[in-house]
Amino acid sequence: MKEWWLQVGLLGVPLLAVYLHIPPPQLSPALRSWKSSGSFFTYKDLNIFYRDSSGAVGSSEVVVLLHGFPTSSYDWSKIWEGLTQRFRRVIALDFLGFGFSDKPRPHGYSIFEQATIVEGLLRHLGLRHQRINLLSHDYGDTVAQELLHSGSLRQLLLCLSKFHFSPGSGQSLGPTRSPHRQNSGISNPRLGSIHCLTTTFPFSILQYINQRKKHRERWVGALMSTSVPLHLIYGPLDPVNPHPEFLQLYKKVLPMSTVAVLDDHISHYPQLEDPTGFLNAYLNFINSF
């Protein structure tokens, strides 16, 4: 038995070493264009990628987009132009460990740090005291909840997409998809491809699952106690938040929030699966104020 395990170990170590040194594939033209349209700012000697587009003339409003796991700011590409027609500035970043941002190893990735990075970006852009509209998805929802709890951003409108919680354990664990290598993206028959990572994924980012459980009262409580207008955009086919149980729970826990339910075939990436429906749902919420 010992000899068998020894053989497996001797074979596994070089295979792992080879895998870790495989160069990433070339970026697709779409991702090259996305990167060239963005910039970087420095957070504690780490490079954070972001895009900041000027938009509607005469508008004073700013929207900040917070992407999900395990993708990047490119998640918002299909609604980007539509948002620039409504907002003065449209801003999105790649969280630390995602997309074109640095992926330090070892590193104790945390939701708290990601929220601090968002604050740092807004300070870098001179928007620290500006009214901010937050539009978030998946992992980004939890970052938005921490920003809401900390009170660091004033005058918020918060829209959640694919929020996670469950009756028994507070926030659910969310997606348990395996981390992916690079820009061929995530396979999905309705989407074709979601372009996401640009280097090997740091597995330590998955600690956000445990953080959601540990800090449930802090983050769900922030939504329950806030006076900030809340809105949920929901795809009924989402396997993470099954219909109708999720909506029933959400409305019970957050009765003050408004909800937009998209078509029955829309799943976990509504901004990519149904960009027109998603954008209309979001703008209807924004325009109600």
Side-chain angles (χ1 to χ4, degrees):
M1 182 62 71
K2 289 184 178 179
E3 292 180 357
W4 181 81
W5 280 106
L6 180 61
Q7 292 174 359
V8 170
L10 291 174
L11 178 63
V13 169
L15 287 177
L16 178 61
V18 170
Y19 170 76
L20 292 176
H21 288 85
I22 295 174
Q26 295 296 310
L27 295 178
S28 68
L31 280 179
R32 286 200 301 270
S33 175
W34 189 260
K35 184 178 183 181
S36 66
S37 299
S39 304
F40 290 85
F41 85 102
T42 302
Y43 166 80
K44 294 185 176 179
D45 297 323
L46 298 169
N47 294 315
I48 305 297
F49 175 81
Y50 71 94
R51 286 194 68 186
D52 177 11
S53 294
S54 298
V57 176
S59 173
S60 61
E61 294 191 73
V62 176
V63 62
V64 175
L65 314 174
L66 306 179
H67 69 80
F69 176 93
T71 49
S72 71
S73 59
Y74 190 78
D75 281 1
W76 307 108
S77 60
K78 289 188 176 182
I79 65 169
W80 194 268
E81 183 178 354
L83 290 173
T84 62
Q85 294 175 14
R86 172 59 176 79
F87 294 95
R88 179 172 63 88
R89 291 173 75 173
V90 181
I91 298 165
L93 78 162
D94 289 348
F95 289 125
L96 184 67
F98 295 78
F100 297 117
S101 293
D102 283 351
K103 300 165 183 63
R105 300 181 189 185
H107 188 81
Y109 291 91
S110 77
I111 294 296
F112 299 101
E113 181 178 45
Q114 304 286 22
T116 300
I117 290 172
V118 174
E119 294 171 2
L121 173 59
L122 295 177
R123 190 178 300 111
H124 171 75
L125 297 175
L127 297 171
R128 190 66 175 75
H129 301 292
Q130 170 81 34
R131 167 175 159 151
I132 299 296
N133 299 283
L134 281 183
L135 175 56
S136 62
H137 174 250
D138 190 83
Y139 181 96
D141 289 343
T142 311
V143 178
Q145 289 168 258
E146 173 54 27
L147 291 167
L148 191 63
H149 180 273
S150 68
S152 57
L153 300 183
R154 307 292 180 185
Q155 299 179 326
L156 278 172
L157 289 178
L158 175 57
C159 182
L160 305 167
S161 173
K162 305 297 121 181
F163 177 63
H164 305 296
F165 58 31
S166 62
S169 60
Q171 291 173 291
S172 76
L173 301 187
T176 55
R177 298 175 294 255
S178 299
H180 294 263
R181 260 187 91 80
Q182 276 16 332
N183 76 9
S184 57
I186 303 168
S187 176
N188 184 309
R190 285 183 298 279
L191 304 182
S193 175
I194 303 174
H195 298 272
C196 51
L197 309 176
T198 54
T199 62
T200 309
F201 199 84
F203 281 81
S204 53
I205 285 181
L206 288 169
Q207 286 300 314
Y208 85 92
I209 294 174
N210 293 328
Q211 292 166 23
R212 278 178 166 173
K213 294 171 64 178
K214 181 178 180 180
H215 301 290
R216 179 215 178 236
E217 291 187 6
R218 177 186 181 96
W219 291 331
V220 176
L223 294 177
M224 295 175 66
S225 62
T226 187
S227 59
V228 167
L230 301 176
H231 187 62
L232 172 73
I233 302 177
Y234 177 65
L237 200 59
D238 184 2
V240 178
N241 298 313
H243 185 269
E245 294 83 4
F246 170 77
L247 270 188
Q248 293 169 351
L249 173 63
Y250 182 89
K251 291 177 180 179
K252 178 180 179 180
V253 175
L254 300 172
M256 79 294 281
S257 174
T258 55
V259 176
V261 180
L262 302 180
D263 291 344
D264 289 345
H265 66 283
I266 303 303
S267 182
H268 191 72
Y269 281 86
Q271 71 273 42
L272 292 170
E273 297 173 59
D274 183 13
T276 300
F278 183 93
L279 182 62
N280 287 338
Y282 181 58
L283 294 182
N284 287 338
F285 167 62
I286 291 295
N287 292 335
S288 66
F289 295 93

